Amino acid sequence: MHPHILVFDSGIGGTSVLAHLEHAVPNATFRYVMDNALLPYGLQSQETIIKRLSGLVKPNQPWSESIDLIVIACNTASTQALDALRKMTTIPIVGVVPAIKPAALQSKTRHIALLATPATTSNQYTHNLIREFASDCQVDLHHSTDLVRLAEACFWQNTTNETEIIREIQRLSISPYVDQLVLGCTHFPIIARQIKSALGAQVSLLDSGAAIARRVMHLLGSSGKQICVNKKGLVYYYATKPIVHSNNSITDVLNIDLS
Ligand code: DGL
């Protein structure tokens, strides 16, 4: 049987993880669920996020009977609600958390930065990651919800507001001594090229997409699921609010209720 994977994000950020997953497990069927009615998650309370994520595992969802694995492709939701969600289901869950550990391992200046949502930078889980894996580095925390909005627009409207992205990066005043910038929000890889060009060649950008795909392959392998590289699975898209003004090739987005 081919694997069946649920991928979740507040919006289209999780597609930056989905791309790695499709490459790693091409024969899987994916259900990509976005809670765009409550976007941005970076401004939502932990209680709200836990409640919305519980909607993923309630009975009678289109995927309820068939899912092998859930990927929470959202740093904000993972750092806020992973423990609570794991208590609600026996389905294995893989969460995306900021790539602090690889950034600290690769930093030569010992000065790294995290760019994420306000909920992620202020979260205790994130502070624990920094204490555990980057205690010998200076770690600057930067947050932006504007970049989430700009990544959404880039994805759906197929146009990039480069000037606005550069202005927002400049507003954040990221130190020139930072040599590793952790993209701790899955929306940001979508506009990574623009972020990088605003910052310059001295900074490497890191995200968690490839590591998540490796973890998913490992879990599927140990549960006996077959990964075939010469078969192409399907991706079904769901949203909690209708998508308007889309120029994207994803046209078939089904409505879903997570309340
Ligand atoms: N893509 C999400 C993340 O990785 C959150 C964006 C948002 O809704 O604020 O944190």
Side-chain angles (χ1 to χ4, degrees):
M1 277 285 279
H2 66 273
H4 202 150
I5 302 171
L6 176 70
V7 180
F8 173 82
D9 183 41
S10 56
I12 47 71
T15 59
S16 68
V17 177
L18 179 65
H20 288 276
L21 295 173
E22 285 187 275
H23 186 72
V25 197
N27 62 321
T29 296
F30 293 99
R31 307 268 173 176
Y32 185 87
V33 182
M34 51 196 131
D35 191 8
N36 55 336
L38 264 69
L39 183 95
Y41 261 30
L43 298 178
Q44 300 292 346
S45 71
Q46 183 171 30
E47 198 191 349
T48 303
I49 294 175
I50 292 174
K51 224 162 135 214
R52 300 296 282 188
L53 260 60
S54 70
L56 293 174
V57 292
K58 71 181 184 188
N60 302 325
Q61 294 289 29
W63 51 80
S64 295
E65 300 303 315
S66 52
I67 287 298
D68 300 305
L69 197 105
I70 298 174
V71 177
I72 302 298
C74 172
N75 292 262
T76 308
S78 297
T79 51
Q80 302 271 357
L82 217 52
D83 291 346
L85 185 63
R86 285 198 169 114
K87 292 192 181 112
M88 298 175 207
T89 179
T90 54
I91 301 169
I93 303 170
V94 177
V96 177
V97 296
I100 298 289
K101 186 179 176 183
L105 285 172
Q106 286 166 43
S107 175
K108 294 200 168 46
T109 60
R110 313 312 292 151
H111 191 167
I112 67 177
L114 169 64
L115 177 56
T117 67
T120 299
T121 55
S122 62
N123 189 273
Q124 193 53 47
Y125 189 103
T126 304
H127 295 164
N128 291 346
L129 274 181
I130 293 169
R131 195 165 332 110
E132 191 172 350
F133 298 115
S135 54
D136 63 337
C137 288
Q138 179 173 336
V139 184
D140 298 341
L141 301 177
H142 299 282
H143 60 78
S144 171
T145 38
D146 267 355
L147 290 176
V148 172
R149 176 180 57 77
L150 290 162
E152 286 280 325
C154 175
F155 186 89
W156 288 116
Q157 270 92 60
N158 235 337
T159 52
T160 312
N161 194 332
E162 196 130 6
T163 317
E164 247 196 289
I165 295 172
I166 291 171
R167 199 181 305 134
E168 176 63 357
I169 293 294
Q170 284 167 348
R171 186 193 67 78
L172 295 170
S173 293
I174 294 170
S175 163
Y177 300 107
V178 164
D179 68 346
Q180 306 290 325
L181 177 68
V182 178
L183 300 181
C185 169
T186 53
H187 278 76
F188 298 163
I190 293 167
I191 49 170
R193 189 185 54 75
Q194 293 81 359
I195 295 175
K196 173 91 177 158
S197 77
L199 286 172
Q202 80 286 359
V203 188
S204 298
L205 308 186
L206 273 102
D207 66 69
S208 308
I212 295 305
R214 284 195 297 275
R215 177 80 189 133
V216 165
M217 281 173 83
H218 173 77
L219 287 176
L220 291 174
S222 52
S223 70
K225 285 282 162 189
Q226 279 181 356
I227 299 174
C228 300
V229 286
N230 55 357
K231 286 217 175 109
K232 184 84 188 88
L234 286 170
V235 185
Y236 298 92
Y237 291 89
Y238 301 88
T240 53
K241 190 176 111 181
I243 308 290
V244 278
H245 310 311
S246 172
N247 288 335
N248 195 284
S249 57
I250 301 168
T251 47
D252 211 4
V253 182
L254 303 165
N255 191 254
I256 199 73
D257 180 17
L258 291 180
S259 62

